[in-house]
Amino acid sequence: MAQAIQKITLNAGRDIPFNKLVLSQHNVRKTKAGVSIEELAEDIAHRGLLTSLNVRAEVDSDGKETGIYRIPAGGRRYRALELLVNQKKLSETAGIPCIVSKGETLEVEDSLAENVKRLDLHPLDEFRGMMALREQGLDEEEIAARFHISVATVKQRLRLASVSPRLLEFYANDEMKLGQVMAFSITNDHVRQEQVWDAISRSHNQDAYYIRRMLTETAVRTCDRRAVYVGISAYEAAGGAAMRDLFDEDNGGWLQDPALLEQLVLEKLTADAEALKTDEGWKWVDAAVDFPYGHTSGLRRFYGERVEYTEEELVRHDALKAEYDKLDAEYAAAKDYSEETEARLEELGNALDALNDRPYVFDRQEVARGGAFISLGVNGELNIQRGFVRPEDEPMVETDGGEADDRDDNGRSGDGVVAAPATGGVSINGKPVGIEESEEDDGKIR
Protein backbone atom coordinates (compact mmCIF):
# COMPACT_ATOMS: atom_id res chain seq x y z
CA MET A 1 0.00 0.00 0.00
CA ALA A 2 1.42 3.37 -1.05
CA GLN A 3 2.34 5.71 1.80
CA ALA A 4 0.51 9.04 1.77
CA ILE A 5 2.73 12.10 1.29
CA GLN A 6 2.57 14.35 4.32
CA LYS A 7 1.61 17.88 3.38
CA ILE A 8 3.48 20.88 4.78
CA THR A 9 1.70 23.63 6.66
CA LEU A 10 3.51 26.97 6.49
CA ASN A 11 3.63 29.34 9.42
CA ALA A 12 1.03 32.06 9.26
CA GLY A 13 1.87 35.71 8.72
CA ARG A 14 0.22 38.53 10.66
CA ASP A 15 0.76 42.10 11.76
CA ILE A 16 1.76 42.45 15.41
CA PRO A 17 1.96 45.83 17.21
CA PHE A 18 5.57 46.93 17.70
CA ASN A 19 5.11 47.28 21.47
CA LYS A 20 4.23 43.58 21.70
CA LEU A 21 7.60 42.51 20.26
CA VAL A 22 10.80 41.79 22.20
CA LEU A 23 14.19 40.45 21.17
CA SER A 24 14.94 36.81 21.90
CA GLN A 25 18.11 36.01 23.82
CA HIS A 26 18.66 33.08 21.46
CA ASN A 27 19.44 35.16 18.35
CA VAL A 28 22.75 33.77 17.03
CA ARG A 29 23.87 37.00 15.33
CA LYS A 30 26.14 38.67 17.89
CA THR A 31 28.83 40.19 15.66
CA LYS A 32 28.20 43.48 13.90
CA ALA A 33 28.56 43.22 10.14
CA GLY A 34 27.21 44.80 6.99
CA VAL A 35 24.82 47.75 6.88
CA SER A 36 24.53 49.70 10.14
CA ILE A 37 21.28 49.94 12.13
CA GLU A 38 21.02 53.63 11.21
CA GLU A 39 21.38 52.87 7.49
CA LEU A 40 18.88 50.02 7.73
CA ALA A 41 16.40 52.35 9.48
CA GLU A 42 16.78 54.87 6.65
CA ASP A 43 16.16 52.12 4.12
CA ILE A 44 13.00 50.92 5.92
CA ALA A 45 11.75 54.51 6.12
CA HIS A 46 12.37 54.87 2.37
CA ARG A 47 10.90 51.62 1.03
CA GLY A 48 9.22 49.89 3.96
CA LEU A 49 9.99 46.56 5.62
CA LEU A 50 10.77 44.10 2.83
CA THR A 51 11.26 41.01 5.03
CA SER A 52 8.95 39.98 7.85
CA LEU A 53 10.23 39.29 11.36
CA ASN A 54 10.30 35.69 12.57
CA VAL A 55 8.58 35.52 15.97
CA ARG A 56 7.36 33.02 18.55
CA ALA A 57 4.62 33.58 21.08
CA GLU A 58 5.86 33.91 24.67
CA VAL A 59 4.15 31.55 27.14
CA ASP A 60 3.99 31.59 30.92
CA SER A 61 4.74 28.75 33.30
CA ASP A 62 1.32 27.24 32.59
CA GLY A 63 1.95 27.23 28.85
CA LYS A 64 -0.48 30.07 28.12
CA GLU A 65 0.42 32.85 25.66
CA THR A 66 1.18 36.19 27.33
CA GLY A 67 0.50 38.36 24.26
CA ILE A 68 4.21 39.12 23.85
CA TYR A 69 6.22 37.75 20.92
CA ARG A 70 9.93 37.06 20.98
CA ILE A 71 12.12 37.63 17.88
CA PRO A 72 14.73 34.89 17.29
CA ALA A 73 15.32 35.96 13.65
CA GLY A 74 15.21 39.58 12.53
CA GLY A 75 16.95 41.34 15.40
CA ARG A 76 18.64 43.98 13.20
CA ARG A 77 15.33 44.81 11.55
CA TYR A 78 13.73 45.12 14.99
CA ARG A 79 16.47 47.50 16.20
CA ALA A 80 16.04 49.60 13.05
CA LEU A 81 12.28 49.76 13.69
CA GLU A 82 12.99 50.65 17.32
CA LEU A 83 15.17 53.53 16.16
CA LEU A 84 12.35 54.80 13.93
CA VAL A 85 9.96 54.62 16.90
CA ASN A 86 12.40 56.58 19.07
CA GLN A 87 12.70 59.17 16.30
CA LYS A 88 8.88 59.49 16.26
CA LYS A 89 8.82 58.35 12.64
CA LEU A 90 6.89 55.17 13.52
CA SER A 91 4.13 54.62 16.04
CA GLU A 92 4.91 52.18 18.83
CA THR A 93 1.56 50.48 18.14
CA ALA A 94 2.19 50.20 14.38
CA GLY A 95 1.57 46.74 12.98
CA ILE A 96 4.80 44.95 12.04
CA PRO A 97 4.65 42.11 9.47
CA CYS A 98 5.67 38.89 11.25
CA ILE A 99 5.81 35.16 10.60
CA VAL A 100 4.63 33.35 13.72
CA SER A 101 6.53 30.09 14.11
CA LYS A 102 5.10 27.11 15.94
CA GLY A 103 6.14 23.55 16.45
CA GLU A 104 8.87 21.81 18.36
CA THR A 105 11.91 23.58 16.86
CA LEU A 106 13.91 25.80 19.20
CA GLU A 107 14.25 29.58 18.93
CA VAL A 108 18.02 29.31 18.43
CA GLU A 109 17.31 26.91 15.56
CA ASP A 110 15.05 29.49 13.90
CA SER A 111 17.76 32.12 14.19
CA LEU A 112 20.52 29.84 12.91
CA ALA A 113 18.43 28.58 10.00
CA GLU A 114 17.55 32.05 8.76
CA ASN A 115 21.17 33.22 8.81
CA VAL A 116 22.83 30.02 7.57
CA LYS A 117 20.39 29.42 4.73
CA ARG A 118 20.54 33.04 3.58
CA LEU A 119 22.40 33.46 0.27
CA ASP A 120 24.04 36.74 -0.66
CA LEU A 121 22.98 38.23 -3.96
CA HIS A 122 25.19 37.17 -6.85
CA PRO A 123 27.38 40.08 -8.13
CA LEU A 124 25.92 39.56 -11.60
CA ASP A 125 22.41 40.00 -10.22
CA GLU A 126 23.58 43.13 -8.37
CA PHE A 127 24.93 44.45 -11.68
CA ARG A 128 21.70 43.75 -13.53
CA GLY A 129 19.63 45.37 -10.80
CA MET A 130 21.82 48.47 -10.73
CA MET A 131 21.75 48.67 -14.53
CA ALA A 132 17.95 48.65 -14.40
CA LEU A 133 18.00 51.51 -11.88
CA ARG A 134 20.42 53.51 -14.01
CA GLU A 135 18.25 52.98 -17.07
CA GLN A 136 15.39 54.45 -15.04
CA GLY A 137 17.40 57.64 -14.51
CA LEU A 138 19.37 57.08 -11.28
CA ASP A 139 23.07 57.92 -11.34
CA GLU A 140 25.85 56.14 -9.42
CA GLU A 141 25.66 58.53 -6.46
CA GLU A 142 21.90 58.07 -6.06
CA ILE A 143 22.16 54.28 -6.26
CA ALA A 144 24.97 54.26 -3.69
CA ALA A 145 22.99 56.50 -1.33
CA ARG A 146 19.85 54.38 -1.54
CA PHE A 147 21.65 51.15 -0.72
CA HIS A 148 24.24 52.60 1.67
CA ILE A 149 27.21 51.41 -0.33
CA SER A 150 30.18 53.28 -1.76
CA VAL A 151 30.03 54.94 -5.17
CA ALA A 152 33.14 52.92 -6.09
CA THR A 153 31.22 49.68 -5.46
CA VAL A 154 28.39 50.83 -7.72
CA LYS A 155 30.84 51.81 -10.46
CA GLN A 156 32.58 48.45 -10.17
CA ARG A 157 29.33 46.56 -10.54
CA LEU A 158 28.20 48.72 -13.47
CA ARG A 159 31.59 48.20 -15.08
CA LEU A 160 30.54 44.61 -15.75
CA ALA A 161 28.50 46.06 -18.63
CA SER A 162 31.79 46.21 -20.56
CA VAL A 163 32.22 42.43 -20.37
CA SER A 164 31.11 40.22 -23.23
CA PRO A 165 27.63 38.68 -22.65
CA ARG A 166 29.15 35.31 -23.50
CA LEU A 167 31.69 35.64 -20.70
CA LEU A 168 29.02 36.86 -18.27
CA GLU A 169 27.08 33.70 -19.06
CA PHE A 170 30.15 31.64 -18.16
CA TYR A 171 30.35 33.54 -14.88
CA ALA A 172 26.65 32.99 -14.17
CA ASN A 173 27.17 29.25 -14.67
CA ASP A 174 30.18 29.22 -12.29
CA GLU A 175 32.58 28.53 -15.17
CA MET A 176 34.48 31.72 -14.38
CA LYS A 177 35.51 33.44 -11.15
CA LEU A 178 34.64 37.01 -10.17
CA GLY A 179 38.30 38.04 -10.23
CA GLN A 180 38.57 36.88 -13.83
CA VAL A 181 35.44 38.81 -14.84
CA MET A 182 36.80 41.93 -13.16
CA ALA A 183 40.03 41.56 -15.12
CA PHE A 184 38.10 41.47 -18.41
CA SER A 185 36.23 44.67 -17.50
CA ILE A 186 39.26 46.87 -18.22
CA THR A 187 38.39 46.92 -21.93
CA ASN A 188 35.17 47.24 -23.96
CA ASP A 189 36.51 45.09 -26.80
CA HIS A 190 34.30 41.99 -26.59
CA VAL A 191 36.07 40.27 -29.47
CA ARG A 192 39.46 40.62 -27.78
CA GLN A 193 37.97 39.51 -24.43
CA GLU A 194 36.64 36.31 -25.97
CA GLN A 195 39.91 35.68 -27.82
CA VAL A 196 41.83 35.92 -24.55
CA TRP A 197 39.36 33.68 -22.70
CA ASP A 198 39.45 31.06 -25.44
CA ALA A 199 43.25 31.11 -25.26
CA ILE A 200 43.62 30.87 -21.47
CA SER A 201 40.76 28.40 -21.00
CA ARG A 202 42.98 25.80 -22.65
CA SER A 203 46.01 26.67 -20.51
CA HIS A 204 46.90 26.11 -16.87
CA ASN A 205 47.31 29.84 -16.14
CA GLN A 206 43.93 31.53 -15.82
CA ASP A 207 44.81 34.06 -13.12
CA ALA A 208 43.35 37.56 -13.25
CA TYR A 209 46.77 39.22 -13.55
CA TYR A 210 47.54 37.08 -16.62
CA ILE A 211 44.23 38.11 -18.23
CA ARG A 212 45.07 41.79 -17.64
CA ARG A 213 48.55 41.28 -19.06
CA MET A 214 47.19 39.72 -22.24
CA LEU A 215 44.56 42.43 -22.65
CA THR A 216 47.13 45.19 -22.14
CA GLU A 217 50.20 43.73 -23.83
CA THR A 218 50.22 46.57 -26.39
CA ALA A 219 49.06 49.28 -23.98
CA VAL A 220 50.92 51.69 -21.69
CA ARG A 221 50.22 51.93 -17.95
CA THR A 222 48.87 55.29 -16.78
CA CYS A 223 51.69 55.47 -14.23
CA ASP A 224 54.30 55.24 -17.01
CA ARG A 225 56.53 58.33 -16.95
CA ARG A 226 55.53 59.21 -20.53
CA ALA A 227 51.85 59.16 -19.59
CA VAL A 228 52.52 61.24 -16.48
CA TYR A 229 54.55 63.75 -18.49
CA VAL A 230 51.90 64.24 -21.18
CA GLY A 231 48.91 63.96 -18.85
CA ILE A 232 45.92 61.64 -19.28
CA SER A 233 43.58 64.55 -20.04
CA ALA A 234 45.82 65.76 -22.89
CA TYR A 235 46.08 62.21 -24.24
CA GLU A 236 42.29 61.75 -24.23
CA ALA A 237 41.75 65.24 -25.69
CA ALA A 238 43.93 64.16 -28.62
CA GLY A 239 41.59 61.21 -29.23
CA GLY A 240 43.44 58.55 -27.28
CA ALA A 241 41.48 55.69 -25.73
CA ALA A 242 42.14 54.50 -22.20
CA MET A 243 41.23 51.35 -20.31
CA ARG A 244 40.24 51.87 -16.69
CA ASP A 245 40.64 49.24 -13.99
CA LEU A 246 38.11 50.18 -11.29
CA PHE A 247 39.02 47.04 -9.36
CA ASP A 248 42.64 48.11 -8.85
CA GLU A 249 43.37 49.71 -5.48
CA ASP A 250 44.82 52.75 -7.27
CA ASN A 251 42.04 52.84 -9.88
CA GLY A 252 44.74 52.52 -12.52
CA GLY A 253 44.42 51.99 -16.23
CA TRP A 254 46.20 51.71 -19.56
CA LEU A 255 46.55 53.92 -22.62
CA GLN A 256 45.61 51.94 -25.71
CA ASP A 257 47.36 54.06 -28.34
CA PRO A 258 51.14 53.95 -27.69
CA ALA A 259 51.87 55.60 -31.06
CA LEU A 260 49.73 58.62 -30.17
CA LEU A 261 51.37 58.81 -26.75
CA GLU A 262 54.85 58.82 -28.33
CA GLN A 263 53.76 61.57 -30.72
CA LEU A 264 52.45 63.69 -27.83
CA VAL A 265 55.65 63.10 -25.84
CA LEU A 266 57.82 64.27 -28.75
CA GLU A 267 55.60 67.30 -29.36
CA LYS A 268 55.76 68.34 -25.71
CA LEU A 269 59.50 67.68 -25.51
CA THR A 270 59.97 69.84 -28.60
CA ALA A 271 57.95 72.66 -27.06
CA ASP A 272 59.84 72.43 -23.76
CA ALA A 273 63.17 72.38 -25.58
CA GLU A 274 62.21 75.42 -27.68
CA ALA A 275 61.11 77.27 -24.52
CA LEU A 276 64.37 76.46 -22.73
CA LYS A 277 66.46 77.60 -25.71
CA THR A 278 64.50 80.83 -26.10
CA ASP A 279 64.22 81.72 -22.43
CA GLU A 280 67.81 80.99 -21.45
CA GLY A 281 69.59 81.70 -24.75
CA TRP A 282 71.32 78.34 -25.38
CA LYS A 283 72.75 77.71 -28.84
CA TRP A 284 71.25 74.25 -28.92
CA VAL A 285 69.00 71.99 -26.87
CA ASP A 286 68.77 68.24 -27.46
CA ALA A 287 65.74 66.39 -26.08
CA ALA A 288 64.89 62.70 -25.75
CA VAL A 289 62.96 60.43 -23.43
CA ASP A 290 66.30 58.82 -22.59
CA PHE A 291 69.88 59.48 -23.66
CA PRO A 292 72.38 56.64 -24.10
CA TYR A 293 75.15 56.17 -21.59
CA GLY A 294 78.04 58.50 -22.32
CA HIS A 295 76.01 60.96 -24.39
CA THR A 296 78.05 63.85 -22.94
CA SER A 297 81.39 62.24 -23.79
CA GLY A 298 83.69 64.60 -25.69
CA LEU A 299 81.76 67.69 -24.58
CA ARG A 300 83.18 70.33 -22.28
CA ARG A 301 81.01 71.02 -19.22
CA PHE A 302 80.79 74.40 -17.59
CA TYR A 303 78.79 75.39 -14.55
CA GLY A 304 76.90 78.43 -13.40
CA GLU A 305 76.98 80.22 -10.08
CA ARG A 306 74.06 80.65 -7.71
CA VAL A 307 72.44 84.07 -7.64
CA GLU A 308 73.57 86.02 -4.60
CA TYR A 309 71.07 87.02 -1.92
CA THR A 310 69.74 90.55 -2.07
CA GLU A 311 70.10 92.53 1.14
CA GLU A 312 66.39 92.05 1.87
CA GLU A 313 66.57 88.29 1.21
CA LEU A 314 69.62 87.95 3.45
CA VAL A 315 67.83 89.67 6.34
CA ARG A 316 64.81 87.43 5.86
CA HIS A 317 67.00 84.31 5.70
CA ASP A 318 68.80 85.17 8.93
CA ALA A 319 65.52 85.89 10.74
CA LEU A 320 63.95 82.60 9.60
CA LYS A 321 67.08 80.62 10.50
CA ALA A 322 67.26 82.18 13.97
CA GLU A 323 63.59 81.45 14.66
CA TYR A 324 63.93 77.87 13.37
CA ASP A 325 67.03 77.13 15.48
CA LYS A 326 65.47 78.61 18.66
CA LEU A 327 62.15 76.77 18.22
CA ASP A 328 63.90 73.51 17.31
CA ALA A 329 66.08 73.66 20.44
CA GLU A 330 63.10 74.40 22.69
CA TYR A 331 61.06 71.59 21.16
CA ALA A 332 63.93 69.13 21.54
CA ALA A 333 63.97 69.86 25.28
CA ALA A 334 60.18 69.61 25.63
CA LYS A 335 58.58 66.36 26.81
CA ASP A 336 55.23 66.63 25.07
CA TYR A 337 54.33 66.44 21.39
CA SER A 338 53.02 69.69 19.89
CA GLU A 339 51.20 69.63 16.58
CA GLU A 340 51.36 73.44 16.42
CA THR A 341 55.15 73.45 16.91
CA GLU A 342 55.62 70.71 14.31
CA ALA A 343 53.58 72.72 11.81
CA ARG A 344 55.58 75.91 12.48
CA LEU A 345 58.90 74.11 12.10
CA GLU A 346 57.76 72.68 8.78
CA GLU A 347 56.60 76.12 7.64
CA LEU A 348 59.93 77.69 8.55
CA GLY A 349 61.85 74.86 6.88
CA ASN A 350 59.89 75.27 3.65
CA ALA A 351 60.51 79.02 3.65
CA LEU A 352 64.26 78.47 4.09
CA ASP A 353 64.30 75.86 1.32
CA ALA A 354 62.55 78.31 -1.01
CA LEU A 355 65.19 80.96 -0.29
CA ASN A 356 68.08 78.51 -0.69
CA ASP A 357 66.74 77.03 -3.93
CA ARG A 358 68.27 79.77 -6.05
CA PRO A 359 68.78 79.59 -9.81
CA TYR A 360 72.21 79.29 -11.38
CA VAL A 361 73.57 82.07 -13.57
CA PHE A 362 75.78 81.07 -16.51
CA ASP A 363 78.31 83.13 -18.41
CA ARG A 364 76.52 84.69 -21.40
CA GLN A 365 79.33 83.92 -23.87
CA GLU A 366 79.42 80.29 -22.76
CA VAL A 367 75.63 80.01 -23.06
CA ALA A 368 75.78 81.45 -26.60
CA ARG A 369 78.04 78.58 -27.70
CA GLY A 370 76.75 75.90 -25.33
CA GLY A 371 73.69 73.77 -24.96
CA ALA A 372 71.55 71.57 -22.74
CA PHE A 373 69.97 68.11 -22.67
CA ILE A 374 66.32 67.49 -21.71
CA SER A 375 65.07 64.02 -20.79
CA LEU A 376 62.32 62.45 -18.66
CA GLY A 377 62.89 61.50 -15.05
CA VAL A 378 61.53 58.34 -13.46
CA ASN A 379 58.36 60.12 -12.28
CA GLY A 380 57.64 61.93 -15.53
CA GLU A 381 59.37 65.15 -14.51
CA LEU A 382 61.79 67.03 -16.78
CA ASN A 383 65.46 66.32 -16.19
CA ILE A 384 67.58 69.20 -17.53
CA GLN A 385 71.37 69.09 -17.85
CA ARG A 386 72.82 72.52 -18.73
CA GLY A 387 76.22 73.77 -19.76
CA PHE A 388 77.82 71.60 -22.50
CA VAL A 389 80.01 72.82 -25.37
CA ARG A 390 80.62 70.77 -28.49
CA PRO A 391 84.17 70.69 -29.89
CA GLU A 392 83.15 72.52 -33.06
CA ASP A 393 81.67 75.36 -30.98
CA GLU A 394 84.85 76.01 -29.01
CA PRO A 395 86.44 79.46 -29.62
CA MET A 396 89.28 79.71 -32.13
CA VAL A 397 92.66 78.82 -30.65
CA GLU A 398 95.56 81.05 -31.62
CA THR A 399 98.59 79.41 -33.23
CA ASP A 400 102.13 79.59 -31.83
CA GLY A 401 102.72 82.64 -34.04
CA GLY A 402 99.94 84.45 -32.22
CA GLU A 403 97.52 84.44 -35.15
CA ALA A 404 94.07 82.86 -35.15
CA ASP A 405 93.60 79.55 -36.94
CA ASP A 406 92.78 80.50 -40.52
CA ARG A 407 90.06 78.55 -42.34
CA ASP A 408 88.41 79.23 -45.69
CA ASP A 409 84.67 79.54 -46.31
CA ASN A 410 84.31 75.75 -46.50
CA GLY A 411 85.95 75.26 -43.09
CA ARG A 412 89.17 73.96 -44.73
CA SER A 413 92.40 74.87 -42.94
CA GLY A 414 95.82 75.19 -44.46
CA ASP A 415 96.63 71.55 -43.76
CA GLY A 416 93.55 70.34 -45.67
CA VAL A 417 91.51 69.25 -42.60
CA VAL A 418 87.84 70.25 -42.71
CA ALA A 419 86.34 71.42 -39.39
CA ALA A 420 82.97 69.96 -38.26
CA PRO A 421 80.12 72.37 -39.02
CA ALA A 422 78.64 74.20 -36.05
CA THR A 423 75.06 73.21 -35.28
CA GLY A 424 72.40 74.94 -33.25
CA GLY A 425 68.69 74.95 -32.60
CA VAL A 426 66.56 72.19 -31.09
CA SER A 427 67.00 68.50 -31.79
CA ILE A 428 64.90 65.54 -30.71
CA ASN A 429 66.66 62.21 -30.36
CA GLY A 430 69.66 63.74 -32.11
CA LYS A 431 67.67 64.90 -35.17
CA PRO A 432 67.14 68.64 -35.84
CA VAL A 433 63.51 69.69 -35.50
CA GLY A 434 61.84 70.88 -38.68
CA ILE A 435 64.55 69.55 -41.02
CA GLU A 436 63.72 66.58 -43.20
CA GLU A 437 66.49 64.08 -43.72
CA SER A 438 67.57 63.85 -47.37
CA GLU A 439 67.00 60.53 -48.99
CA GLU A 440 70.16 58.76 -50.10
CA ASP A 441 70.48 57.99 -53.79
CA ASP A 442 69.87 54.28 -54.18
CA GLY A 443 70.27 54.36 -57.92
CA LYS A 444 66.55 54.01 -58.63
CA ILE A 445 64.78 56.35 -61.06
CA ARG A 446 61.93 58.27 -59.38
Side-chain angles (χ1 to χ4, degrees):
M1 181 177 178
Q3 186 175 0
I5 299 176
Q6 184 177 1
K7 293 185 178 181
I8 299 173
T9 302
L10 298 178
N11 294 323
R14 53 181 287 201
D15 288 350
I16 299 175
F18 177 80
N19 59 2
K20 299 296 183 182
L21 300 173
V22 295
L23 282 177
S24 170
Q25 299 301 312
H26 297 288
N27 192 304
V28 299
R29 188 184 289 274
K30 307 295 183 184
T31 306
K32 293 181 180 180
V35 177
S36 70
I37 298 301
E38 291 77 11
E39 292 173 337
L40 182 55
E42 290 179 18
D43 192 76
I44 293 174
H46 174 71
R47 71 184 89 249
L49 189 64
L50 300 180
T51 305
S52 301
L53 304 181
N54 182 285
V55 302
R56 281 179 175 267
E58 184 179 73
V59 295
D60 57 21
S61 58
D62 296 329
K64 295 181 180 180
E65 294 187 4
T66 64
I68 300 297
Y69 292 84
R70 296 191 301 273
I71 307 171
R76 295 182 70 256
R77 279 163 279 161
Y78 172 80
R79 290 187 178 90
L81 292 167
E82 184 179 41
L83 180 59
L84 293 174
V85 170
N86 293 336
Q87 294 173 344
K88 309 299 183 184
K89 295 180 180 179
L90 182 70
S91 169
E92 63 178 10
T93 59
I96 307 301
C98 298
I99 300 295
V100 183
S101 297
K102 296 181 180 180
E104 298 178 355
T105 58
L106 303 174
E107 289 184 19
V108 68
E109 187 177 348
D110 291 344
S111 177
L112 189 61
E114 181 184 77
N115 288 283
V116 170
K117 297 300 182 182
R118 177 184 301 169
L119 184 64
D120 290 336
L121 196 63
H122 194 282
L124 192 56
D125 293 326
E126 288 183 13
F127 152 67
R128 289 166 175 162
M130 291 178 183
M131 279 294 293
L133 291 175
R134 193 169 69 172
E135 289 169 359
Q136 293 175 16
L138 273 68
D139 59 22
E140 287 89 348
E141 288 75 14
E142 290 174 313
I143 296 173
R146 290 196 180 189
F147 293 94
H148 306 288
I149 55 180
S150 68
V151 176
T153 299
V154 176
K155 289 183 177 180
Q156 288 175 353
R157 288 292 180 262
L158 293 176
R159 183 65 181 169
L160 294 181
S162 64
V163 180
S164 160
R166 177 183 166 219
L167 300 188
L168 290 179
E169 193 64 29
F170 288 145
Y171 176 46
N173 295 329
D174 295 329
E175 298 177 47
M176 188 183 296
K177 298 177 182 178
L178 178 59
Q180 295 170 319
V181 178
M182 294 192 303
F184 280 112
S185 72
I186 64 175
T187 177
N188 295 317
D189 189 342
H190 291 179
V191 173
R192 180 57 181 156
Q193 289 173 356
E194 293 178 9
Q195 288 174 343
V196 170
W197 175 251
D198 291 339
I200 69 170
S201 61
R202 296 188 294 269
S203 70
H204 68 282
N205 190 350
Q206 300 181 7
D207 292 335
Y209 85 89
Y210 186 59
I211 294 172
R212 287 190 180 91
R213 194 176 78 181
M214 292 189 67
L215 289 172
T216 60
E217 57 188 358
T218 60
V220 177
R221 202 73 161 94
T222 53
C223 59
D224 184 281
R225 57 181 173 157
R226 295 167 297 169
V228 174
Y229 173 61
V230 169
I232 307 303
S233 57
Y235 166 81
E236 291 180 325
M243 293 185 287
R244 307 290 186 187
D245 189 356
L246 295 176
F247 300 93
D248 249 9
E249 290 183 1
D250 61 351
N251 291 330
W254 292 263
L255 307 187
Q256 294 177 268
D257 194 338
L260 174 62
L261 178 62
E262 288 291 340
Q263 175 188 333
L264 295 175
V265 168
L266 292 180
E267 289 175 357
K268 189 172 183 182
L269 274 176
T270 301
D272 286 338
E274 290 279 7
L276 181 68
K277 179 179 181 295
T278 302
D279 295 343
E280 299 185 11
W282 299 102
K283 180 178 182 180
W284 55 267
V285 174
D286 196 3
V289 174
D290 281 309
F291 287 104
Y293 177 77
H295 67 284
T296 62
S297 178
L299 306 183
R300 176 171 63 86
R301 181 80 184 267
F302 64 93
Y303 299 90
E305 296 181 355
R306 281 189 183 274
V307 176
E308 294 292 335
Y309 287 111
T310 64
E311 185 175 343
E312 181 181 345
E313 288 174 333
L314 187 58
V315 171
R316 174 169 168 73
H317 177 276
D318 291 343
L320 289 170
K321 187 69 167 61
E323 182 182 354
Y324 183 92
D325 292 342
K326 180 175 180 295
L327 187 59
D328 186 47
E330 292 174 351
Y331 190 43
K335 295 181 179 180
D336 298 328
Y337 168 80
S338 172
E339 183 177 352
E340 182 180 351
T341 303
E342 289 274 2
R344 181 56 180 163
L345 284 170
E346 182 178 2
E347 181 181 346
L348 291 169
N350 291 337
L352 285 169
D353 289 342
L355 279 173
N356 291 328
D357 187 17
R358 313 180 66 72
Y360 285 89
V361 175
F362 294 84
D363 180 88
R364 288 181 176 273
Q365 291 184 345
E366 291 279 50
V367 170
R369 67 171 66 95
F373 295 96
I374 291 182
S375 59
L376 294 188
V378 293
N379 296 317
E381 76 282 6
L382 277 182
N383 181 23
I384 303 177
Q385 296 175 289
R386 297 174 173 87
F388 294 90
V389 179
R390 292 167 174 162
E392 64 267 24
D393 293 328
E394 293 287 5
M396 292 291 192
V397 180
E398 292 186 355
T399 63
D400 293 340
E403 298 178 356
D405 187 8
D406 186 22
R407 304 178 190 272
D408 60 21
D409 292 339
N410 295 319
R412 188 177 300 277
S413 61
D415 58 4
V417 178
V418 179
T423 59
V426 172
S427 58
I428 302 294
N429 295 326
K431 299 178 181 178
V433 174
I435 300 177
E436 296 291 336
E437 293 185 71
S438 60
E439 296 182 358
E440 295 183 1
D441 185 5
D442 56 6
K444 295 181 181 179
I445 299 177
R446 293 182 173 83

